[in-house]
Amino acid sequence: MDGGNARGYLLDFLKSYVEVSDEDLKDIVDGLPLKAFKKGSMILYQGDPSKHCIFVISGCLRQYRINEDGHEVTSEFYEEGQWVNVFNESIKDKVSKYSVVAGEDSLLIYSETVEKDEMFKRYPALLNMTSSMLTEKIGQVNENNYGFAALSPEERVKSLIELRPKLLKRVPQHQVASYLGITPEAFSRIKKDWKH
């Protein structure tokens, strides 16, 4: 998605969350900093200060951490229309507990939190929109965490296939397995059995 198409996408997306004049909305979108990342690019490292506000316009990002055993544990995938790292941006002088990497070539809104704060002052409706999206995201995360903890491995795979079928075609199987908390072999077997 090029810059022109990206801004058109953003206009349509923001209209679904915020009520402002078309002129102000266009001004907001034109002022948002866009940045392209190639597949495999690191966007944030675990242990680094979290200073950016990130929104996925196109592409797919993976959030993970390195556990005590030195293994990568995937905690989230972010696709089009999703905010990334919104929970850390308001915590001052804190480091990220996760790394974020581009799983595909990706186009993002990528701005310093200072720039974001200036935009909020200029456009209060944008702050309302972000708060609404954050509340929605927290609800989804809480529901997913509670739901996944209560589900069997088979039910987790089935739930992911039903809720996010496109994700399975976008990311490697071992990363999906890590996200679901099961081994790649178990994921492959369950997925095969479920399709039959």
Side-chain angles (χ1 to χ4, degrees), residues 79-162:
E79 300 175 272
E80 289 82 1
Q82 293 185 308
W83 288 104
V84 180
N85 206 33
V86 291
F87 304 111
N88 286 340
E89 62 179 292
S90 63
I91 303 175
K92 305 301 181 185
D93 302 320
K94 296 289 184 179
V95 297
S96 176
K97 295 179 180 179
Y98 304 97
S99 292
V100 178
V101 63
E104 300 174 345
D105 289 350
S106 301
L107 183 63
L108 313 175
I109 295 174
Y110 187 79
S111 68
E112 292 276 351
T113 52
V114 173
E115 295 171 342
K116 170 190 65 69
D117 292 340
E118 290 172 357
M119 289 288 285
F120 285 165
K121 288 178 184 176
R122 187 172 176 187
Y123 302 105
L126 190 60
L127 175 58
N128 295 337
M129 180 209 73
T130 304
S131 297
S132 174
M133 293 175 71
L134 178 57
T135 300
E136 182 179 300
K137 179 64 178 176
I138 289 173
Q140 290 173 353
V141 169
N142 288 340
E143 185 176 336
N144 287 346
N145 288 344
Y146 175 77
F148 269 29
L151 297 178
S152 68
E154 291 79 8
E155 290 169 328
R156 288 181 212 165
V157 174
K158 180 180 177 182
S159 177
L160 185 68
I161 290 171
E162 290 176 346

Side-chain angles (χ1 to χ4, degrees), residues 17-111:
Y17 276 94
V18 65
E19 291 185 17
V20 295
S21 70
D22 287 346
E23 184 178 336
D24 280 351
L25 197 57
K26 185 177 184 304
D27 197 18
I28 291 171
V29 170
D30 287 345
L32 291 173
L34 303 182
K35 187 170 181 178
F37 289 86
K38 291 289 187 184
K39 179 179 180 178
S41 297
M42 291 301 298
I43 297 164
L44 178 67
Y45 286 93
Q46 181 177 341
D48 281 356
S50 177
K51 298 180 179 179
H52 288 88
C53 182
I54 304 167
F55 177 83
V56 183
I57 298 172
S58 65
C60 183
L61 310 182
R62 179 172 70 100
Q63 176 181 286
Y64 68 93
R65 66 181 175 84
I66 305 297
N67 67 13
E68 297 77 11
D69 299 324
H71 297 111
E72 289 185 5
V73 179
T74 299
S75 54
E76 187 58 88
F77 295 99
Y78 298 97
E79 300 175 272
E80 289 82 1
Q82 293 185 308
W83 288 104
V84 180
N85 206 33
V86 291
F87 304 111
N88 286 340
E89 62 179 292
S90 63
I91 303 175
K92 305 301 181 185
D93 302 320
K94 296 289 184 179
V95 297
S96 176
K97 295 179 180 179
Y98 304 97
S99 292
V100 178
V101 63
E104 300 174 345
D105 289 350
S106 301
L107 183 63
L108 313 175
I109 295 174
Y110 187 79
S111 68

